[in-house]
Amino acid sequence: KLAQSLLSLSTHKKKPLPIVESVNLSSIVSTLINDAKLETDKKKTPIIFKTPPYLTPLKANREEVKTILMSLLSNAVHYATPGTNIKVFLQEVDNKFIEFRVTNQGPLIPPEYREDIFKKNFKVPGQPKKRAGLGLYIAKKSAQEMKSKIGFRNAGKNGTVFWVKFLLSPTT
């Protein structure tokens, strides 16, 4: 996973990615959830996925979309408190964008670190050093190149919601 993050990071220094194909977000999310099953089973953190029966396909670079979603989902799984649910939602909003949200129950991001969470190599102090601090940075850079928005908010007292809003008709 670290190698994939580094490879993705190196491509961001070159040029913005072209819009290349029709992307089915529901299918990508389902695959990523299935790929995370070993870890979620081990932690007893099942993923509950809700999506409408039909979403407008996104015109985008499939691998970049996958990188963004994988980063957000991976963080949600990694930081989820064992024995809690992770909730994943996809929804189309006003025929303008598709929103992906992932909510977990785990440590909150302290207020003093919220502005830094998408910075390169950033890790909240006190967290295990297993991660490189590149995933959210790469996700944000990819989202910006796609003219999309990415962010997060606290989910009550015990969790976080990360989201990305993919524009259905981005201008190039």
Side-chain angles (χ1 to χ4, degrees), residues 93-130:
V93 180
D94 299 329
N95 295 320
K96 293 181 182 176
F97 59 88
I98 296 177
E99 181 179 33
F100 167 87
R101 287 189 322 271
V102 59
T103 304
N104 74 351
Q105 297 298 307
L108 295 177
I109 300 166
E112 62 270 26
Y113 301 117
R114 291 182 187 157
E115 288 186 23
D116 300 325
I117 204 74
F118 288 103
K119 289 183 178 174
K120 187 176 181 181
N121 298 320
F122 180 78
K123 292 174 267 206
V124 173
Q127 295 296 321
K129 302 291 181 197
K130 292 181 183 180

Side-chain angles (χ1 to χ4, degrees), residues 6-17 64 145:
L6 292 172
L7 180 62
S8 183
L9 178 61
S10 71
T11 64
H12 289 288
K13 295 180 181 177
K14 296 178 184 172
K15 61 180 179 179
L17 294 162
E64 288 303 308
E145 287 178 7

Side-chain angles (χ1 to χ4, degrees), residues 18-28 54-63 65-66 98 146 167-168 170:
I19 296 173
V20 293
E21 61 190 303
S22 181
V23 177
N24 179 326
L25 286 177
S26 293
S27 176
I28 290 175
Y54 176 80
L55 285 172
T56 302
L58 188 65
K59 300 288 185 197
N61 179 295
R62 180 180 307 280
E63 290 308 310
V65 169
K66 203 167 157 182
I98 296 177
M146 296 172 66
L167 286 176
L168 286 172

Side-chain angles (χ1 to χ4, degrees), residues 62-91:
R62 180 180 307 280
E63 290 308 310
E64 288 303 308
V65 169
K66 203 167 157 182
T67 296
I68 294 167
L69 299 178
M70 182 176 63
S71 175
L72 299 182
L73 185 61
S74 170
N75 274 0
V77 171
H78 182 78
Y79 292 106
T81 301
T84 62
N85 293 334
I86 297 167
K87 297 176 184 171
V88 175
F89 300 94
L90 277 174
Q91 70 180 21

